[in-house]
Amino acid sequence: MRCLAVTPSAQGYRAVLEEAPDPRPGPGEALVRVAASGLNRADLSQIAGHYPPPPGEPEILGLELSGTLVGTGERVCALVAGGAHAELAAVPVGHWMPVPAGMSFVDAAAIPEAFLTAFVNLAVEGALAAGGRALVHAGASGVGLAAIQTARRLGATVAATTRSADKLAALSAAGADLAIDTRAGRFEDAIERAWGKDAVDVVLDPVGADTLPGDLAVLARGGRIVTIATMSGSKAALDLSLLMRKAARLIGSTLRSRPREEKARLVARFRSEMLPGFEDGALSVSIDAVYPPEQAAAAFARMRDNRNTGKIVVDWTRGEETPRP
């Protein structure tokens, strides 16, 4: 099979298609012929040498895919801990879901990592409930747009931030009640003007050091800050007295490193509670750009430069609705 091998270069990234042995599914795994695979910032961290796959998982890049189960032809999308950016992938049982009716493989590849990350960290870790208020940072990313929709489906009111005024419309289109350009002013001030003091129940934060003090400032008593990445740095000042006065919780969360059994339970819950939303119209994927694997270097550079609004997807079928034999 062919797989993507991506390395940093002076121009950005160098991506080549390498031949690799076909994966051999082990106990509790099935083989999927990949139709499309979604890019994630975790890929960039792995390329930079900062985010290796968990022990025993494939070294090949990629955390989400769509395609067909070999042997049955079932159309699925799947969460993996590595190996999605290839023509074939071994997927643990319980980590795939059916492609929603009428959805293309490209769109389906944008569901697993982005929407599961949003659901796990808002609904499970953050315990966001109907009537609550959520703040989503980096709202125009694939995870951010998924999180806005997820919070709305949970019955919450949503504020979302971006560093680009050009992306504000995308936040509103996804369902954000309050879309904030952080280059135009502090997000804390915008939230207080709209909602008052201490108004946010759950913050979903992939930014890290730069936003943590403001997160705590807008948090309601008993609120939760769920940190899922550290794009602005991992070292942050924290007012512990304010954390205590608000009886707040700071939660660190990753999805990739969770045990397979735990991820299977989360996928099952997502499949029951959220996946129907793609068929009833409550949820939709946001595709920024689609690239063939031969142009993957440009795809990764687009993500690195924050030029995307929504998901970037690699199309292994070149637009066909069924993968190559």
Side-chain angles (χ1 to χ4, degrees), residues 6 19 46 57 66 115 154 206 278 319 322:
V6 185
E19 289 293 329
Q46 183 171 337
E57 299 293 354
S66 64
F115 276 89
L154 293 170
F278 293 99
T322 55

Side-chain angles (χ1 to χ4, degrees), residues 41-59:
R41 285 199 166 270
D43 297 338
L44 303 186
S45 295
Q46 183 171 337
I47 292 167
H50 304 316
Y51 194 39
E57 299 293 354
E59 296 286 340

Side-chain angles (χ1 to χ4, degrees), residues 216 238-248:
L216 186 55
L238 179 63
D239 185 341
L240 293 175
S241 63
L242 183 57
L243 185 77
M244 291 185 293
R245 287 200 304 273
K246 290 195 172 186

Side-chain angles (χ1 to χ4, degrees), residues 185-271:
R186 301 192 329 152
F187 71 86
E188 306 98 300
D189 296 335
I191 290 174
E192 185 172 333
R193 286 194 300 269
W195 293 349
K197 290 181 175 293
D198 304 338
V200 175
D201 298 295
V202 180
V203 180
L204 183 64
D205 192 345
V207 178
D210 288 352
T211 48
L212 181 59
D215 293 345
L216 186 55
V218 300
L219 207 63
R221 179 172 176 79
R224 288 80 66 197
I225 301 168
V226 186
T227 300
I228 61 172
T230 56
M231 291 191 296
S232 67
S234 59
K235 306 294 184 182
L238 179 63
D239 185 341
L240 293 175
S241 63
L242 183 57
L243 185 77
M244 291 185 293
R245 287 200 304 273
K246 290 195 172 186
R249 281 176 284 165
L250 177 59
I251 302 165
S253 176
T254 62
L255 183 58
R256 187 183 195 184
S257 61
R258 297 180 188 231
R260 286 186 171 189
E261 296 78 7
E262 181 183 354
K263 283 193 278 189
R265 291 192 297 270
L266 293 170
V267 169
R269 182 173 168 184
F270 177 88
R271 180 173 177 173

Side-chain angles (χ1 to χ4, degrees), residues 66 75-77 98-112 115 275 277-279 283-287 321:
S66 64
R75 289 162 49 89
V76 298
C77 54
V99 172
M103 182 175 284
S104 70
F105 280 126
V106 165
D107 284 354
I111 292 176
F115 276 89
L275 197 63
F278 293 99
E279 296 187 1
L283 301 175
S284 63
V285 297
S286 301
I287 302 296
E321 262 308 289

